[in-house]
């Protein structure tokens, strides 16, 4: 019956993968909808999100948060 019980590391790995996917999707959607960012910066952030997913997503989201704070 041990065959049907998943290992905890597998559960953690799956949760991290889901969080990673959600983080990338949120970053790409916010990037696509933000008209205040120049086209060249959008391309750079998109490449960063696609090729360095976690670091690129976090970099964009922190940059996006700072930009929204400066506008207000």
């Amino acid at each position: 019956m041990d065959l049907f019980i998943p290992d905890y590391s597998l559960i953690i790995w799956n949760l991290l993968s889901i969080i990673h996917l959600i983080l990338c999707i949120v970053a790409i959607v916010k990037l696509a909808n933000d008209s205040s960012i120049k086209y060249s910066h959008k391309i750079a952030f998109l490449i960063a999100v696609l090729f360095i997913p976690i670091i690129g997503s976090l970099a964009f989201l922190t940059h996006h948060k700072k930009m929204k704070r400066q506008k207000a």
Side-chain angles (χ1 to χ4, degrees), residues 2-41:
D2 287 337
L3 189 64
F4 296 110
I5 300 173
D7 190 22
Y8 288 113
S9 62
L10 179 64
I11 293 170
I12 292 171
W13 183 254
N14 284 333
L15 286 175
L16 287 175
S17 297
I18 291 170
I19 291 170
H20 166 257
L21 181 65
I22 291 170
L23 186 66
C24 287
I25 290 172
V26 167
I28 290 172
V29 167
K30 283 189 175 193
L31 182 64
N33 291 333
D34 194 357
S35 62
S36 65
I37 300 175
K38 291 188 227 176
Y39 184 73
S40 59
H41 288 127

Side-chain angles (χ1 to χ4, degrees), residues 40-55:
S40 59
H41 288 127
K42 279 188 179 187
I43 296 297
F45 276 124
L46 182 64
I47 290 171
V49 168
L50 292 177
F51 290 113
I52 316 169
I54 294 174
I55 297 170

Side-chain angles (χ1 to χ4, degrees), residues 59-70:
F60 171 70
L61 291 174
T62 55
H63 175 74
H64 188 264
K65 192 179 212 181
K66 286 179 188 177
M67 293 291 290
K68 290 292 181 182
R69 232 185 278 153
Q70 287 177 355

